[in-house]
């Protein structure tokens, strides 16, 4: 089995760094444990991106994004944090055009951002399976 964290380590690391630069208050609120959870969340983002690309279905990733957003909002995060995280992944993918399925990933991220912008994070959404 492929280690997603290693496969996309550069993009994930860049995304985590960007989100904490944009929201420095997250360090005070969540500390190092929060950074680790953010990294782990990004690994999951890429797992779902690979699945959605494999099925050629942005809905797989969008459903995951809406589910995750409902969890994060209930724990004190905001939808803006997730949207910015997805945007930072897009930026990282654009910096690394060699990433297999990077174009599909970017498209699916954009569609998820659109859905999140219409969401308030309180919808009941079932966790989609991989």
């Amino acid at each position: 089995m492929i280690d997603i964290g290693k496969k996309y380590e550069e993009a994930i690391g860049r995304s985590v760094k960007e989100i904490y630069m944009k929201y420095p208050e997250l360090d005070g609120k969540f500390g190092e444990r929060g950074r680790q959870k953010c990294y782990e969340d990004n690994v999951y983002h890429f797992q779902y991106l690979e699945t959605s690309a494999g099925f050629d279905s942005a809905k797989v990733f969008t459903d995951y994004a809406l589910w995750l957003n409902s969890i994060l909002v209930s724990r004190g995060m905001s939808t803006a944090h997730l949207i910015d995280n997805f945007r930072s992944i897009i930026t990282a993918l654009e910096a690394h055009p060699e990433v297999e399925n990077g174009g599909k990933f970017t498209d699916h991220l954009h569609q998820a951002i659109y859905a999140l912008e219409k969401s308030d994070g309180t919808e009941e959404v079932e966790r989609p399976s991989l």
Side-chain angles (χ1 to χ4, degrees):
M1 179 152 217
I2 296 173
D3 183 340
I4 298 294
K6 287 193 188 300
K7 185 174 181 181
Y8 300 107
E9 185 172 17
E10 196 166 324
I12 291 170
R14 180 179 178 157
S15 180
V16 172
K17 183 177 179 180
E18 281 187 25
I19 200 79
Y20 273 82
M21 285 176 62
K22 184 164 186 171
Y23 299 101
E25 68 274 10
L26 293 176
D27 262 329
K29 189 171 183 178
F30 299 108
E32 187 56 37
R33 172 116 170 88
R35 281 182 183 264
Q36 182 59 36
K37 288 299 295 170
C38 186
Y39 186 90
E40 291 169 9
D41 285 348
N42 276 276
V43 170
Y44 286 119
H45 300 342
F46 276 94
Q47 286 176 331
Y48 276 92
L49 283 168
E50 282 198 341
T51 301
S52 68
F55 284 113
D56 199 20
S57 171
K59 184 176 180 345
V60 171
F61 189 76
T62 299
D63 287 350
Y64 160 74
L66 291 169
W67 167 80
L68 178 60
N69 189 50
S70 69
I71 300 298
L72 294 175
V73 167
S74 74
R75 294 184 178 154
M77 299 291 286
S78 76
T79 301
H81 293 133
L82 185 57
I83 289 171
D84 284 340
N85 190 182
F86 287 172
R87 286 185 176 138
S88 70
I89 293 171
I90 291 168
T91 300
L93 289 169
E94 289 170 347
H96 297 281
E98 72 280 0
V99 172
E100 184 180 355
N101 289 316
K104 278 187 184 180
F105 290 178
T106 298
D107 178 57
H108 294 187
L109 285 157
H110 280 296
Q111 290 187 50
I113 289 168
Y114 178 76
L116 288 167
E117 288 174 336
K118 297 186 329 183
S119 167
D120 67 2
T122 61
E123 301 91 336
E124 289 216 15
V125 183
E126 284 189 39
R127 181 180 184 168
S129 60
L130 280 175

